[in-house]
Structures are given as structure tokens and as C-alpha cells.
Amino acid sequence: MKTIQRIAGVFLLISLIVGGIILVRTGGDFSQLSNEQWVQKEKTFEASQITQLRFDTSSTDVTVIGNTDTDQVLIKYPESQNRSYTIIEKDGQLTISEKYERIFGFISLDIDFFFGHKRVIEVMIPKDILTKLTVEGSSSDVAIQNLIVKEDIQVELSSGSITIEDSQIGGSFLAELTSGDVTVAKVKSSDFSLLATSGSIQLEGVEVTNLTEIGATSGDILLGNFTPGKVTELSVTSGDVYGNLAGTITDYTIQSHTTSGTNNLPQDLRGGNKQLQVEVTSGDISLQFDQ
């Protein structure tokens, strides 16, 4: 109990210190914090220098767009007195990192987050130069469009949405997020892995060659015109799984189960050359086949 009290006391002390600093800086007028001056900046790199792109962000949204009419990587980003970005190219990897003003050298103060303001880093890049794309963020929305990535796309978020459209991935699409929706449309990938704690997952016109793994704690999985690969594993704790799959039901070896809800799939069907496993704790399973 004493340990818990000490920890609570430390957090209370830190809160009072940070609050005092903000009070001194603003003279009690907290609206000054939301009127921070922002400057839009740009930076370019030759496309021949870049094979990998990595983002380390806190609350800045990320947009990556592939373009066939450029031989440069163009980065557009906002900066202010309290927020800036480190943009470094080393050994073919372009890394964009977000940083904030620090109090006492270790406390990051993201004032913009508390006022609900969202800022965006936009990267325009030749659509087929990347071997790998990685995004790690705390509270960011991520949008990826019109890319051909030779190996992997990896996205890890605490909260925020993920949208990826009109893209091809030679290796794996890997995504993990705690809270937020995921939309994937017209994407081809060798492997597809997605884990979400809270939020809806929608796939439309997605084609996977090998393994698909989709897991959600709370939220629905919607598969529209989905072409599965060799193995497809879908699991939801609280939510529904519905949509339509390419092929006929006899193309699949099926194992399905719902603890509380309806299920239109066979619980155990053998003979197909593709494996389909669907597990739902509380919710319905409703999957149709194109043929």
C-alpha cells in the first residue's frame, strides 16, 4: 500500500510541476497554447537513395502516396516551436521522427494533442522504390495509397485508423493497433496479419497468396470480394464476421465455431485445398462464396 501511495504521490507531483510550468508560460490564458504558430516545410531526396521508409510519430498523422511521375521523395510536414521532426537518410533508410519540447529533459509536452489539433506528414514517393515501409505511432491516422512494396509493410499504433488502398506487397502486411478502424481496399499481399483490440476491420477486393491472420477483441470483420490464400484464420471475441469469399465452398477445408451467435458455415468440412478457420465468442458468422 505504501508503495502505491508513493507512486501516486510522484505522479501528482509531476502533474503539479507541469501544470505550474504551463500556467507560467501562458499567464493563465490557456488559449495561447492552441494558437501556436505553425510553418509548413518541405524536404526532398533523390529516389535512388531510398529503399526503406520509417516513421516514429506520436500524434502526427501519416500519409504516403505513390506516384509514377516523379524521381524524388517529397516530404511535406508542419513545424512549430514545440514540435519538430528529425528526417535522416542512412544506408538507404529514410527515417522521420517526431519530437516535442521537453521539460527538464525528459517530459514531452504535446500541447496540440490536448486541443484536438491534428497535423499531417505527407510523403510523395515513386510507387515502386520501397522494399519496406514501417510506421510506429501513439495516436496517429495512417493512410497508404498506390504503392508497390517489394517486401513488408508494418504498422503499429496505440490509437488511430489505418487505411491502405491500391497497393501491392511482395512480403507481409503486418498491423497491430489498440483502438481504431482498419480499411484495406484493392490490395495484393503474400501474407496478411492484423491484430486489433477495439475497432472495425474492413477488407474490400483484397487478394492474399499465402497466410491471412485477422484477430479482433471488440469489433466486426467485414470481407468484401476477398480472395484468400492457402490458410485463413479469423477470430473475434465480441463482434461479427461477415462478407463473401472467392471460389466455392468445396475449395475450402473449414473449421468454424461461435459460442453465442449464429453460424452459416459448416463446423467441420474437409476436402478443400484452402484452409478456413473462423472462431467467434460472442457474435455471428455469415460468410458467402462467389460460386
Side-chain angles (χ1 to χ4, degrees):
M1 179 64 71
K2 290 183 178 179
T3 302
I4 295 175
Q5 289 175 342
R6 291 193 189 101
I7 294 173
V10 170
F11 278 107
L12 177 60
L13 178 60
I14 293 173
S15 299
L16 290 173
I17 291 172
V18 172
I21 292 172
I22 294 174
L23 183 64
V24 171
R25 286 181 54 185
T26 63
D29 182 6
F30 295 105
S31 65
Q32 293 180 18
L33 296 174
S34 65
N35 294 326
E36 189 171 14
Q37 296 300 310
W38 288 85
V39 178
Q40 192 70 23
K41 295 186 175 182
E42 294 185 359
K43 196 166 187 177
T44 59
F45 292 85
E46 291 299 322
S48 58
Q49 297 177 261
I50 310 300
T51 59
Q52 299 184 39
L53 179 59
R54 179 183 180 88
F55 295 87
D56 292 304
T57 65
S58 179
S59 59
T60 302
D61 294 344
V62 172
T63 298
V64 183
I65 301 174
N67 194 329
T68 57
D69 299 324
T70 183
D71 58 1
Q72 289 189 324
V73 177
L74 172 62
I75 306 167
K76 298 181 180 180
Y77 59 100
E79 281 197 342
S80 69
Q81 181 181 353
N82 294 315
R83 184 187 310 200
S84 60
Y85 300 87
T86 301
I87 303 174
I88 299 174
E89 185 278 320
K90 183 178 180 182
D91 298 329
Q93 177 173 288
L94 179 60
T95 302
I96 303 173
S97 302
E98 182 177 0
K99 59 182 181 179
Y100 297 99
E101 177 185 0
R102 292 184 177 269
I103 301 172
F104 304 135
F106 67 94
I107 302 175
S108 294
L109 188 61
D110 184 5
I111 297 297
D112 232 35
F113 172 79
F114 294 102
F115 285 91
H117 297 165
K118 298 292 283 184
R119 307 295 172 178
V120 182
I121 299 174
E122 182 179 288
V123 177
M124 298 285 293
I125 191 167
K127 67 179 296 182
D128 59 354
I129 67 167
L130 291 180
T131 60
K132 190 171 184 179
L133 170 59
T134 303
V135 183
E136 292 187 2
S138 296
S139 176
S140 303
D141 294 337
V142 176
I144 299 168
Q145 302 174 22
N146 196 35
L147 286 183
I148 298 175
V149 179
K150 298 178 179 67
E151 295 179 9
D152 305 328
I153 293 179
Q154 184 171 354
V155 182
E156 185 174 344
L157 302 177
S158 295
S159 65
S161 65
I162 300 173
T163 303
I164 175 170
E165 299 174 317
D166 300 307
S167 297
Q168 299 180 35
I169 307 164
S172 299
F173 174 74
L174 305 166
E176 293 186 22
L177 70 163
T178 303
S179 175
D181 297 334
V182 179
T183 302
V184 184
K186 298 180 182 179
V187 169
K188 296 181 179 180
S189 183
S190 180
D191 296 303
F192 189 98
S193 178
L194 173 57
L195 298 176
T197 302
S198 176
S200 65
I201 298 170
Q202 181 173 351
L203 276 60
E204 183 66 42
V206 173
E207 299 180 25
V208 179
T209 306
N210 295 314
L211 173 64
T212 300
E213 295 178 298
I214 303 177
T217 302
S218 176
D220 297 335
I221 298 176
L222 168 61
L223 306 176
N225 299 314
F226 176 55
T227 303
K230 297 175 182 178
V231 178
T232 301
E233 300 176 354
L234 311 174
S235 63
V236 178
T237 302
S238 177
D240 301 328
V241 177
Y242 57 103
N244 62 295
L245 310 180
T248 66
I249 193 170
T250 55
D251 293 334
Y252 297 86
T253 291
I254 298 174
Q255 291 180 315
S256 69
H257 178 260
T258 179
T259 303
S260 175
T262 61
N263 180 10
N264 76 326
L265 292 179
Q267 291 189 1
D268 192 357
L269 177 66
R270 306 286 176 168
N273 57 10
K274 294 183 177 183
Q275 295 183 32
L276 173 62
Q277 299 178 14
V278 187
E279 182 76 24
V280 175
T281 302
S282 178
D284 300 333
I285 300 172
S286 179
L287 291 174
Q288 313 297 326
F289 298 88
D290 288 345
Q291 300 177 21

